[in-house]
Each structure stands twice: as C-alpha cells, then as structure tokens.
Amino acid sequence: ATIQDARDAQEAVAQAVAALAEFYGGGSSGAFIQQSGKSSADPEAPEIFSDASYTGMESGGVTSLLEVIQADYAHMEAETEAAEAKSLAEYDKFMSDSGADKAA
C-alpha cells in the first residue's frame, strides 16, 4: 500500500502543479509573488510592514514547494521498492536454507 500511496501522491502533486501552471500562465508570470510594503490604504500599519522586499521563497514559491514534495514521494517509492526487494531476497534465502536444514 505504501508504494501505491506514493505513486498516487506523485500523480496528485503533478496534477496540482500542472493546474497552477495553467492557471497562472506557467508560474513565472509573477502571480505567486507576495506583495510587501506598507499599504497606502492603511497608514496605521505597524513598522514591521516596511518597504523592504520579501526575500523568502523567491525561488518559485508554491510551485517549487510542490515539486520538492513530488521528489520526496518519488524518493520514498524508490526506497520502499528497494527495501521490499531486499526483504524478499532475505526471505527466499531463509526458506532455501531452512529447506536444506530440514532435509538434512
């Protein structure tokens, strides 16, 4: 179930990235850019909301985050498949050795 869950999650994240890219025109149009600075409509805004530009997540924002999540699911799938293959090989060896011991 874990491998199938990882595959399903990768597909869902890929669909989300595609939907966001389609809706926002490829994701690089600036639609995800967070606006910073003091609003002219609110002169009472606290000083923390200065005109300094926002420097976090400038490498792609939500789309990049989803791509990282997708890569994590792919990594989890690969690790799980490798662990299952190793466990199966160990089980087969144990059964073969047990059969040889039982025959002797």
Side-chain angles (χ1 to χ4, degrees), residues 11-103:
E11 183 178 334
V13 172
Q15 290 174 356
V17 169
L20 288 171
E22 180 181 332
F23 184 78
Y24 289 107
S28 61
S29 66
F32 286 130
I33 295 175
Q34 182 170 346
Q35 301 297 318
S36 64
K38 190 182 283 190
S39 170
S40 60
D42 188 6
E44 301 291 322
E47 286 300 315
I48 194 166
F49 298 106
S50 66
D51 290 333
S53 65
Y54 177 73
T55 58
M57 300 222 22
E58 289 182 356
S59 63
V62 174
T63 306
S64 292
L65 179 63
L66 288 173
E67 289 169 351
V68 168
I69 291 170
Q70 187 176 21
D72 288 346
Y73 278 122
H75 182 71
M76 181 176 68
E77 178 186 355
E79 282 184 341
T80 305
E81 286 177 340
E84 285 188 0
K86 181 182 176 191
S87 295
L88 180 61
E90 290 173 358
Y91 171 78
D92 289 342
K93 182 179 182 325
F94 173 76
M95 292 303 288
S96 175
D97 291 347
S98 295
D101 288 345
K102 188 176 180 181

